[in-house]
Amino acid sequence: MKKSDLVSVVIVSFNRKKELIECLDSCLKSTYSNLEIILVDNASKLPIVSWLPKKYSKVKLVTNDINYGAAEGRNIGLKQTKGKYVLFMDDDATMDRGMISSLVKSFETKKKAGVIQPLIIDKKNKNQKMGFNTITAEYSSYI
């Protein structure tokens, strides 16, 4: 049996503890087991280090002294990754259990793909096809 490739999940967070917990819980429920989760705390008022290690000991935490914003926060997290594949998530997003497996399978079957994005559905409006909150593995596209 082939060992699955490591997927690095990079999450940037700023002052969203409740949403971040939902995000992390969805990552940990993934059917794809070879994951590393890198969480970048962009100087939250309640530092994530004060509560994260108690519940999420396998999550690698990177703490910024100032809020660098989402893009630079992702770049800071990217420097910590070891995976063959990298998935960027917002701290207010959750994922379907099979999403990462589906995305990795898409990369394996679409050899020329450089970027693959999952279908994104808004949590509040299930009919919206391009929302900002819930990430699912239902469909994916490639470039």
Side-chain angles (χ1 to χ4, degrees), residues 97-110:
R97 293 173 44 93
M99 185 193 80
I100 294 176
S101 296
S102 176
L103 294 174
V104 169
K105 184 178 179 182
S106 293
F107 266 119
E108 290 172 349
T109 58
K110 296 168 179 44

Side-chain angles (χ1 to χ4, degrees), residues 112-116 141-143:
K112 293 183 179 182
V115 175
I116 296 178
S141 59
Y142 69 98
I143 299 172

Side-chain angles (χ1 to χ4, degrees), residues 18-107:
K18 179 183 175 284
E19 294 88 348
L20 177 58
I21 288 171
E22 291 173 5
C23 176
L24 291 170
D25 287 345
S26 76
C27 291
L28 295 172
K29 292 176 184 172
S30 175
T31 58
Y32 195 89
S33 60
N34 197 8
L35 294 177
E36 69 171 348
I37 301 171
I38 298 164
L39 174 59
V40 179
D41 181 2
N42 251 344
S44 296
K45 289 180 183 174
L46 172 62
I48 293 173
V49 72
S50 69
W51 60 268
L52 181 91
K54 297 172 188 125
K55 185 172 181 185
Y56 302 99
S57 59
K58 294 182 180 180
V59 174
K60 180 176 184 174
L61 179 62
V62 178
T63 304
N64 292 332
D65 294 332
I66 62 172
N67 184 349
Y68 287 104
E72 184 62 20
R74 286 184 185 101
N75 288 335
I76 290 167
L78 182 62
K79 292 176 185 173
Q80 303 295 316
T81 63
K82 296 179 182 153
K84 178 176 180 180
Y85 305 112
V86 177
L87 171 66
F88 292 109
M89 286 186 66
D90 290 336
D91 59 358
D92 63 341
T94 58
M95 72 170 79
D96 179 85
R97 293 173 44 93
M99 185 193 80
I100 294 176
S101 296
S102 176
L103 294 174
V104 169
K105 184 178 179 182
S106 293
F107 266 119

Side-chain angles (χ1 to χ4, degrees), residues 112-132:
K112 293 183 179 182
V115 175
I116 296 178
Q117 176 179 329
L119 176 68
I120 301 171
I121 301 173
D122 188 294
K123 283 188 215 181
K124 295 174 187 160
N125 181 1
K126 298 287 185 192
N127 296 326
Q128 183 176 348
K129 292 297 180 194
M130 286 303 291
F132 297 102

